[in-house]
Structure formats: C-alpha cells, structure tokens
Amino acid sequence: MSQRSSSVQRPDTLAAHGGGKAYGTQGQRKRVFANYVEIKKYPEEDIYQYDVVVRPERGEFKKLPPPAYMRSVFDAAMVEYRQSKLNGIPMVYDSRKIAYAPKRICGSQEWLDLDISFNDDGNTEKYVIRLREAAVLNTSILTEFMTGRGNVSMGDIQAAINALDLAIGSVLHLEMVGFNRSFFTRAQSQRTSGGLELWSGFSFSIRPGVDHLYLNVNTAVTAMYTAGSLLEALTSIMNLKDASQLRGKLTVQTLREMGTFLRGLIMFVGHRGIKGRRKFAVRGTTSKSLDVESFDWEDPDRPGRPESITVAQYYQRRYNIKLSYPFLPGLVGRKNSVFPIEFCQIAENQRYRGHLDERQTADMVKFACQSPSSNMERIRKVLMQTNLGGQAVVKAFGLSLTNELAQVEARVLPAPTVDYANSSRDRSFVPHNGVWNMMGKMVLKPGPSLDYWAVLVLVNRQYMSDTSVRNFVTTLISACKQSGYTIKTSQPPIVYGSPHGDIPREMMLACKSIPLPPKTAPQLLLVILPSTNTQVYQSVKNYAYTTLGVHTQCMQSKHVQRPSMQYCANLCLKINAKLGGVNQRLSAGHMSKLLRKKPTLFLGCDVTHPGPGEQHKPSIASVVGSTDLDGTRYAATLIQLPSRQEMVDRLQEAFVRHLKLFYKAAGAKPLRIIFYRDGVSETQFAQVRDRELIELQRACASLQQGYKPEITFLAVLKRHNTRFFPMNRGDGDKNGNMIPGTIIDRSITMPGITDFYLFAHAAIQGTSRPTHYYVLHDDANFTADDIQQLTYHLCFTYAICTRSVSLVPPVYYAHRVADRARCHLVDMGVGFEEATESSSGHYGGVGTTIGGRSTAPGSVAAKIIKINNSLDESMYFM
C-alpha cells in the first residue's frame, strides 16, 4: 500500500490527542538505509493461539525449568507428533505457556495431550504436553493498524506480532542461542574478567510501519558465563592465580560477590561416586566451609546410629573421596543438597544478568563498538545466511520477505544559533556537526563567585603532593577566568583524607577548614578521587546531598598530575551550572521566540529500576522542570517507588512543586508545558498518557481555578534497535554515521501517531543511535516542524557540554538525577541469607544461605525523597 492511502496523515499540525500522523517538511532531503527488511506479505488468515501446559509424567513443576529446556521438550514433541496428531501443522512456542499455529489443531473445549520421553544429557524424563485453543487472532487488524483505519492500538496487535516473532525465532534457535528476541553465537567471542565472556549476535523483531510490516534486525552483544570449571571461574572473579589462594579469602563480602555470580546458575556435578553427571540449579552456598559445616548422618553400614559429621567427612566416608579444597563452602541445590565446588562445572549457553564491573563494562563497550559500515555489513550477511524468507515455518505463517535493507526518506535540519556572553569574542555562532569549544567564549551568565571552597584529596599524600594540587587549582582558576567565571579564593584549603576511612568525617573536616564569615555556608568541595571507584563516589554524593548540603565536584586524581585547560574548562561549566549560572542558550531566533511567546515550562521524567538480583531495592522516578524563560536552568524532584513499578505515584505533588518553582524564578506562570516522558514502552503509551496528563492538569487546577496551560506530551525512547546508515559515503560524518540534525518521520515510524527518530549528536565512536520521540498529546497546535526543530535545538542547551547531546535535556537531566538518587539510598547490597533452618533434604541441618533478601514488589511505599534544603532548588546533579 502506498503512504497516501492512509486516511489519517496530517502534514501540518499535530493531533490534539495524539491521533493522526503529521510529517515535517523542513531540512535537506536524502535517502538512507534502515536496518529494516520489508515484509512483502503477511498472514491474511487467522492465527491460532494455544495455552500450553508442560508437566512431568508424575507430579507438577514447583517452578518451570529454564526456557531453553522447555523449548527443547516442546520441539521434541513437535518432531514426534508433527505428522500424526498435529496433521503436519507447525507450532511455535514462547518457552513458557503460549504457542501459536497457522491453522487450528484442536478446539477451545478440548485438551490435546502429547506424551514425550525427553533425553537430557543421558537422563530420560517423561512429560505430558497439553494444548488447548486460547484465542483466534484476526490478522486483519495488522492492516487496520498500519493504515491508521479503525480504533486499533499497539496493544491490540501485540499477540499477532508475538506469533510472527516466534515464527522467525524458531528458525534462529536452530543456529544460535536465543534469549527472547535476541540470538547469539560463541563464534568470535571474547573472554573478559570474572569468569565471563562476551558473545555477539543479533536482535530480530517484527515492527509495524506506515502501511507496511517490517523485520527489524540489529547487532547485539551480551555477557555469558564461561562454561567449564567453577573453581577456575571463582579464581578469576577474585583475581587469584590458583584455587589454593582462596583459603581465608571468603569474607562476608566475597560470599556476597559469589552469590551474585552463582544465583540460579545451572551446574553439572560429577565424581567417581556417582554415575554420569547430575544437573542442578544453584540456590546458594553453605554458610561455612565444608570441613566445618556439619549435619546428622546415618551410615548405611551402621543403621540406627546417627552421628554429626562434616560435609568433607561425608565425602570421605561415603565415596572415599578426599576433598582438595575443604576450606571452601559448598553449593546448595534442590532439597538443600550440598555439592563441593571442586566437582562443579558451569553448563553451557547461560546468560549473565548481573552488573558488569568497570573492566567488564570497558571490555563490553570495546567489543560492541563497530563502525556503521561494519554493522550494516554484518546485518546483510546474517540475512543472507539465515534466508528467513525461504524457511518452511516462516512460509507456513504467511510471511514473505526479502533480504534487502529498506530505504527511507530522511531530512537534515539546520543547527540553531547558540549564544554566549556579549563579552565573548565568538558570542553567537552556528555549531558545525554539533560540536564546538570554549575558545573565545564566556559563559552567558556567571553564577555567584566562588569564595568559600576547599579541596578534599582522597589520595595518599605520597602519591599526590600539595604542590601538584596547588598547580591544578591554579590552572582551574585560570580556565574559569577565561570562561568568564570568577573564583575569588585562589588559595583554598587542601585537606587530605583516606578513601577507605569515614568519608562523611573527611568531608566535614574539609568544610571546617574553610574560613567562613558568620551565617555563611561553604559553596563547594572539590573532591579528588583515587579512581572511578563508585562506592567512594556514592558516599561523597550521599553525604553532600542529604546531610552536608554543599555542592561537590568530583574528579579523578589522574587529571591533577597533568592539568589540562580543556579539562578545567569543562569543570568550570559544571561548577557554574551547580552554583546558579547559565553557560549558553539558544539565540533569539525562531525557537527562542517560540519559547518567549508564551512562558514555557519544560518537564522531564524518567523511571529507573534496580538491577538483576536487586528486587528488594526501590525503583526511582525523577522529575525535572525548567525554572527560567529560556529553558536553561532546572530543578529536580525524586520519587521513591515500589520495586520495578512503571507507573509514577505522587506525580501531582511533584508537578505542583515545579509549577511553583517556575513562577518563583521566572516571575510568570507557564502558559505552555512541554513534557518529555522517558521509560515507557509502546504498549503503555495510552495508559501513561491518560494517567499523567490528568495528574498534570490537576496540579494546574489546584493552584488556581481555571488555570489551564497548553500541554504537549511526548514519550521518549532511547533503548530501541532501529539504526540508520548513509547511502553514500559523503552523506555521513567522518565516522560514517548520520549527520547531527538528521530526522526520519516516515515509512518505518509508528502508524497513526506523530513520531520521529532524531540524530541530535555526533557519535564519538561506534554506530550512533537516534532517539525516538512520540507526540501523545498536543494542546498547542504545534506543527510537526515546530516540535521536531524545538526538540533538536534544545539538545544544544545541555548545560555542561560544548556539543549537542543525543537526548533532549529535560530527559537527560532526569537520567542524571535518577542515577544520583542511588547515592541517596542506604547500601542495600544483595547478600545471602539463611535459606533453611530445619532438616528438609539429603543433608539435614546444613546451614545454607541463598541469594538475596527478598521484598515483595509493592512493599516499598511511594514517597518524595528529600534533598538538603541548601541544594534542593539547584542543579546539584550536574
């Protein structure tokens, strides 16, 4: 179907409630490649959805086995019954409880039972797979959604999309190791530290576009456990040469680290006392070493005479095996069975879901960093190798696709004019390729001069002399002067402290070293850190934000030894922003006039969740709001939420606060509010928009009867798999990426809604990723060009950069605030706790510990997290 056939396209203003699609017209037009393959044909007939129940021949699963195992059992049944009970009809399975078929296999009133004997590593298990029709999916709604006809939402078509994704995935699982919609291979993998290795692969997902259906294919990387000896892995984690050095190293902290690494991991255990290998999932570790951990055991040769023995003694007496490493704890499996670590092998193809440390993250970034041309070539190659369009199951589900990447229309928007202070030699300029520097420029509005400050050096004086610090301070003062910011106190106190000591005490001593007039508070602590150690950094920020109420500027010690004017100029931008200054703004052109025509409040919101294995930690919502007429200064509000909750509570309270702060600082009520909301999936758009729009409207009405400013609501998505590549060598930047200002709002965008992909930045390395913006509501009658240019131009106002940023600043600031919020929370590190205190398995009475204190989702009350009053209305988070 052609684009023109859509009845809801609007080339001018945005739809008031997000309905309809508007396109921009401004900028230089060009064609680009997208990592999308057009699906020439998709199902016209119904798809049948089935409930799937897999159970052992006897009993029930207490917990479903891992997805890979469930899929193997299901696939074995498909092979056995394909030509009999299934009548030659293929089925695709989500590895949990749902399957799909292109034709009816059984009805909704009957169960189809498939008995299967499954051989897993020499062990045969018998299962029953029960199938029953759960729904009939009308695929015609795909066409309705993509052409914008009818009242069809993304949620309405999700089941059909899932079925087609599984059809594609069923082919890829044969060649690669799959997790959801991503598939990886060990070929060309790379070892990293901590018993892990990095695998490369691809993500595949069906995406609806305007009038067409597409397959999105992108490169991907993931961390995997290195299969093999667990002893070697633990030795690697602790940076030891061999396992014998583990003796005496197992502190509470190292046990905690082991727990994070081991929790849920599938192991094989084998020794001469048992036949073959046993497989088990790790529940935790014993709380003591195996030569100390004891339990009551009844020797089969001496029945009726139970005795207390250690686990090490048990292996000696039961199997005639003397443990080589009895000083290590054991692993606890099902029914509290205990297995010595030295007998355990990590099973293959297991994905690591924990946090990567600094070194692992650096390795991951380097491993994933590929040029745009390399990534495009890899995508083309995997499309040719897999030949998805030629696969029988793909055809059976009515899909027909080529291996050619889609070409789409793009436009390159002009960059805005950026203003610095009138005294600057280069006062107003248009940045080239989104990058500039501070040479010849002075900050637009300097904050209060820095009079009362100190330097806290958390590095041994032996490695960093007082003279080195003084030289750095001199360079910093000089750089600030050139940038138009004044530091009056050129000889601040320098206080040395220990990064391993009492950080709050060290900070308090540094503050007390500052000569202060009565009723005057310190303005800043410049804190020199020994490394990028996050624990020390978080301790500094936590005490500064919550108790001390003093701005801190942290920096790494390596920058002190060789002071750089450029580095110091960057520090100057951060200090000026924190202390109340403005570094740059948009010039009084079209966008600036648009802002000043009606006082405009910019809001940004993001929700961040705890990482894997940290379910007891709360989620954090951050809301930021501008406080001036130019949209350059912001204040922040933090909301603590129950763990992993997507919807934000207490929003009305936060919105009221930001409306008041804007009025207080700008001297006017906002007549227009532009709200950029991150952290929302496409299937949640309507729910989040309706809920949060009401909260914002109620906040306005609570301040004054009849107060109804215009509200524009945009969802922001940064984590997606859409990429674009220049068609010609000269169309991109020097790295082969898209030029800043490139915007795509046609073909592969969301049907029926105004949305666009924007490259606002110049990528430093790798393949650049655009940000995806969706206009969900608009009272202001913005044209598509207005909202696209405004969003792009705002990316030049990020306070601490001399380059345009990839994400609109209200959301970027919300990200920073949420990240800093982790510093506010008491360390709730994931440790091990007692799993059982009673005899319940093969080794009764063993004191076992398993992963993580568990707090049920929703047990943490939503509340506003309070910042120290001295910092509360500032940009402390920069």
Side-chain angles (χ1 to χ4, degrees):
M1 301 177 186
S2 67
Q3 271 187 354
R4 293 178 184 175
S5 66
S6 174
S7 61
V8 296
Q9 293 173 359
R10 301 181 59 188
D12 40 40
T13 59
L14 310 179
H17 300 288
K21 192 167 184 70
Y23 296 109
T25 59
Q26 299 297 310
Q28 179 185 355
R29 295 177 182 270
K30 58 175 61 179
R31 302 284 289 177
V32 299
F33 286 117
N35 62 340
Y36 281 63
V37 173
E38 183 181 339
I39 295 176
K40 299 293 186 180
K41 180 183 176 184
Y42 52 88
E44 297 178 356
E45 298 180 353
D46 294 337
I47 293 175
Y48 297 86
Q49 179 177 318
Y50 290 86
D51 290 331
V52 180
V53 178
V54 181
R55 70 183 189 200
E57 186 180 45
R58 297 178 181 176
E60 300 284 344
F61 289 125
K62 290 184 178 179
K63 179 182 178 182
L64 284 180
Y69 184 86
M70 295 288 285
R71 185 170 50 253
S72 297
V73 172
F74 188 88
D75 288 347
M78 294 300 101
V79 171
E80 182 163 336
Y81 293 101
R82 172 71 56 81
Q83 301 306 323
S84 54
K85 291 187 176 182
L86 300 178
N87 299 315
I89 301 170
M91 298 191 76
V92 293
Y93 176 47
D94 73 348
S95 305
R96 299 284 85 180
K97 297 181 178 181
I98 298 174
Y100 300 94
K103 296 181 179 179
R104 176 171 276 128
I105 289 175
C106 61
S108 59
Q109 303 302 317
E110 58 181 314
W111 284 99
L112 176 64
D113 289 350
L114 308 176
D115 298 319
I116 185 71
S117 294
F118 180 69
N119 187 290
D120 179 37
D121 199 53
N123 299 314
T124 299
E125 300 285 349
K126 292 185 177 181
Y127 297 99
V128 178
I129 298 176
R130 310 199 73 199
L131 303 173
R132 183 176 66 182
E133 186 179 297
V136 179
L137 309 180
N138 181 357
T139 57
S140 66
I141 64 171
L142 288 173
T143 301
E144 290 181 25
F145 180 74
M146 291 184 292
T147 57
R149 301 193 188 100
N151 187 24
V152 182
S153 70
M154 187 70 183
D156 296 329
I157 67 167
Q158 195 60 55
I161 295 293
N162 290 343
L164 301 182
D165 275 334
L166 288 174
I168 296 291
S170 67
V171 176
L172 301 169
H173 276 297
L174 300 175
E175 302 292 334
M176 293 183 268
V177 179
F179 306 98
N180 298 320
R181 292 176 173 85
S182 297
F183 302 83
F184 302 91
T185 174
R186 197 177 185 185
Q188 299 179 334
S189 63
Q190 175 184 305
R191 284 283 187 104
T192 185
S193 60
L196 302 179
E197 54 192 28
L198 307 176
W199 289 21
S200 63
F202 302 88
S203 67
F204 294 79
S205 61
I206 301 291
R207 292 279 301 170
V210 178
D211 297 332
H212 296 284
L213 197 63
Y214 294 91
L215 175 65
N216 172 230
V217 186
N218 194 29
T219 55
V221 296
T222 194
M224 303 285 287
Y225 289 94
T226 301
S229 168
L230 176 59
L231 264 181
E232 291 182 9
L234 295 181
T235 302
S236 173
I237 289 173
M238 301 185 68
N239 296 313
L240 302 175
K241 292 182 179 180
D242 57 67
S244 62
Q245 293 180 314
L246 287 167
R247 184 187 295 272
K249 296 287 199 319
L250 295 179
T251 63
V252 173
Q253 179 62 29
T254 54
L255 274 173
R256 178 180 293 176
E257 291 172 1
M258 282 178 60
T260 302
F261 182 82
L262 295 170
R263 187 178 304 110
L265 198 56
I266 303 299
M267 294 284 181
F268 286 112
V269 61
H271 55 77
R272 67 171 180 260
I274 59 175
K275 292 182 180 180
R277 300 190 301 174
R278 293 181 187 174
K279 185 164 71 171
F280 71 98
V282 179
R283 293 183 61 226
T285 68
T286 57
S287 57
K288 301 174 184 176
S289 61
L290 297 185
D291 57 1
V292 176
E293 196 73 69
S294 62
F295 65 101
D296 291 334
W297 179 62
E298 188 175 295
D299 191 329
D301 297 330
R302 304 170 65 185
R305 299 178 61 183
E307 57 184 309
S308 178
I309 64 171
T310 66
V311 176
Q313 289 170 337
Y314 169 82
Y315 273 86
Q316 177 75 63
R317 291 174 57 177
R318 180 74 174 84
Y319 300 116
N320 194 27
I321 296 175
K322 183 178 181 180
L323 298 184
S324 299
Y325 305 96
F327 52 83
L328 295 178
L331 299 187
V332 180
R334 188 169 172 263
K335 295 183 178 179
N336 291 331
S337 298
V338 175
F339 304 98
I341 287 173
E342 61 194 81
F343 299 147
C344 294
Q345 298 282 317
I346 300 172
E348 293 182 331
N349 301 336
Q350 297 189 79
R351 193 178 195 178
Y352 179 71
R353 297 186 179 278
H355 286 297
L356 298 179
D357 63 26
E358 185 180 341
R359 178 181 169 186
Q360 291 165 341
T361 300
D363 287 344
M364 176 72 88
V365 170
K366 186 176 180 181
F367 183 71
C369 185
Q370 300 287 329
S371 69
S373 58
S374 296
N375 273 338
M376 185 166 66
E377 186 57 35
R378 287 187 60 205
I379 292 169
R380 283 174 164 163
K381 188 175 180 180
V382 78
L383 286 169
M384 295 297 293
Q385 289 174 340
T386 55
N387 188 27
L388 294 170
Q391 304 298 323
V393 66
V394 174
K395 290 180 178 179
F397 275 85
L399 294 176
S400 173
L401 63 156
T402 68
N403 295 329
E404 297 296 324
L405 295 184
Q407 298 180 24
V408 299
E409 182 180 301
R411 291 173 290 113
V412 180
L413 303 180
T417 301
V418 177
D419 281 355
Y420 279 83
N422 289 334
S423 54
S424 303
R425 187 172 68 248
D426 198 3
R427 183 180 68 85
S428 293
F429 62 97
V430 177
H432 178 65
N433 280 338
V435 180
W436 65 98
N437 58 49
M438 287 299 293
M439 190 173 298
K441 303 175 187 68
M442 292 188 173
V443 295
L444 183 75
K445 178 185 175 184
S449 63
L450 187 53
D451 302 340
Y452 308 111
W453 66 300
V455 182
L456 174 59
V457 185
L458 296 177
V459 181
N460 192 307
R461 193 187 293 263
Q462 179 181 348
Y463 303 110
M464 181 162 295
S465 68
D466 188 90
T467 301
S468 296
V469 178
R470 291 283 177 203
N471 288 338
F472 178 82
V473 168
T474 299
T475 306
L476 175 62
I477 292 172
S478 177
C480 287
K481 182 178 180 180
Q482 288 187 21
S483 299
Y485 180 70
T486 303
I487 299 180
K488 286 187 177 179
T489 303
S490 59
Q491 298 282 326
I494 298 174
V495 178
Y496 283 82
S498 169
H500 309 295
D502 185 344
I503 299 297
R505 178 179 175 275
E506 308 284 18
M507 294 173 68
M508 184 62 74
L509 289 175
C511 286
K512 288 182 177 179
S513 72
I514 303 172
L516 293 172
K519 298 183 179 180
T520 304
Q523 294 171 282
L524 180 77
L525 280 183
L526 178 65
V527 184
I528 301 175
L529 303 175
S531 65
T532 55
N533 184 300
T534 55
Q535 191 171 359
V536 177
Y537 175 84
Q538 288 181 349
S539 295
V540 169
K541 293 297 185 181
N542 176 42
Y543 189 63
Y545 294 160
T546 60
T547 306
L548 195 59
V550 174
H551 287 292
T552 53
Q553 181 58 58
C554 294
M555 58 173 290
Q556 292 182 49
S557 58
K558 65 182 182 181
H559 295 294
V560 175
Q561 306 297 348
R562 296 179 179 176
S564 158
M565 284 294 286
Q566 182 177 347
Y567 177 79
C568 289
N570 288 337
L571 283 188
C572 172
L573 297 180
K574 293 183 178 183
I575 293 170
N576 188 47
K578 287 175 180 176
L579 295 183
V582 176
N583 293 328
Q584 79 266 18
R585 72 177 177 193
L586 297 176
S587 187
H590 174 63
M591 287 300 104
S592 185
K593 289 178 181 177
L594 189 68
L595 298 183
R596 289 183 173 274
K597 186 177 180 181
K598 292 183 179 179
T600 302
L601 167 64
F602 291 101
L603 292 170
C605 179
D606 185 31
V607 181
T608 60
H609 302 292
E614 298 181 327
Q615 290 84 356
H616 64 284
K617 290 187 177 182
S619 292
I620 299 291
S622 52
V623 180
V624 302
S626 58
T627 57
D628 65 346
L629 295 174
D630 292 317
T632 57
R633 291 207 51 81
Y634 285 77
T637 303
L638 282 165
I639 306 171
Q640 178 177 298
L641 300 173
S643 185
R644 311 209 72 77
Q645 178 174 306
E646 298 285 351
M647 299 298 150
V648 181
D649 298 325
R650 310 288 292 269
L651 261 184
Q652 182 176 337
E653 185 178 346
F655 289 148
V656 166
R657 176 174 184 264
H658 287 289
L659 288 164
K660 289 180 176 179
L661 287 175
F662 184 91
Y663 182 79
K664 176 182 175 181
K669 291 185 300 184
L671 300 181
R672 176 189 293 139
I673 298 172
I674 301 178
F675 183 19
Y676 290 94
R677 174 65 155 92
D678 197 4
V680 183
S681 66
E682 290 175 333
T683 55
Q684 294 176 310
F685 280 172
Q687 181 184 7
V688 171
R689 177 200 63 200
D690 294 345
R691 186 175 187 270
E692 298 183 3
L693 195 59
I694 289 173
E695 294 286 292
L696 186 49
Q697 290 167 340
R698 285 174 176 169
C700 295
S702 72
L703 295 177
Q704 182 181 342
Q705 186 175 1
Y707 174 43
K708 295 181 179 180
E710 298 169 351
I711 298 174
T712 302
F713 191 120
L714 294 93
V716 183
L717 196 61
K718 184 66 175 175
R719 295 182 179 179
H720 58 77
N721 287 307
T722 299
R723 302 290 184 272
F724 299 95
F725 309 99
M727 288 191 66
N728 303 304
R729 190 177 185 88
D731 289 342
D733 65 11
K734 63 181 181 180
N735 296 320
N737 275 306
M738 306 304 299
I739 295 173
T742 301
I743 199 160
I744 297 94
D745 64 357
R746 298 170 186 268
S747 302
I748 53 89
T749 53
M750 180 71 74
I753 188 174
T754 297
D755 65 323
F756 55 94
Y757 292 93
L758 172 64
F759 290 90
H761 68 301
I764 297 174
Q765 60 180 358
T767 302
S768 59
R769 172 169 50 186
T771 300
H772 197 176
Y773 297 91
Y774 308 76
V775 183
L776 304 185
H777 180 92
D778 178 49
D779 292 329
N781 291 321
F782 281 127
T783 65
D785 284 322
D786 284 339
I787 201 67
Q788 290 173 6
Q789 290 190 61
L790 174 62
T791 301
Y792 175 45
H793 289 183
L794 284 174
C795 293
F796 288 77
T797 65
Y798 189 64
I800 58 175
C801 270
T802 54
R803 60 190 306 126
S804 56
V805 291
S806 63
L807 198 57
V808 70
V811 172
Y812 208 140
Y813 293 144
H815 276 309
R816 287 185 70 96
V817 172
D819 182 57
R820 297 297 187 271
R822 296 294 168 192
C823 304
H824 302 211
L825 304 176
V826 176
D827 179 20
M828 302 164 70
V830 179
F832 278 7
E833 67 178 1
E834 292 298 314
T836 179
E837 297 178 355
S838 61
S839 175
S840 61
H842 188 60
Y843 296 101
V846 176
T848 59
T849 56
I850 67 167
R853 288 166 288 177
S854 176
T855 301
S859 61
V860 177
K863 65 178 183 180
I864 302 289
I865 299 176
K866 186 65 177 170
I867 306 299
N868 189 285
N869 288 335
S870 300
L871 306 179
D872 195 32
E873 297 179 12
S874 72
M875 295 180 74
Y876 68 89
F877 45 85
M878 301 309 293

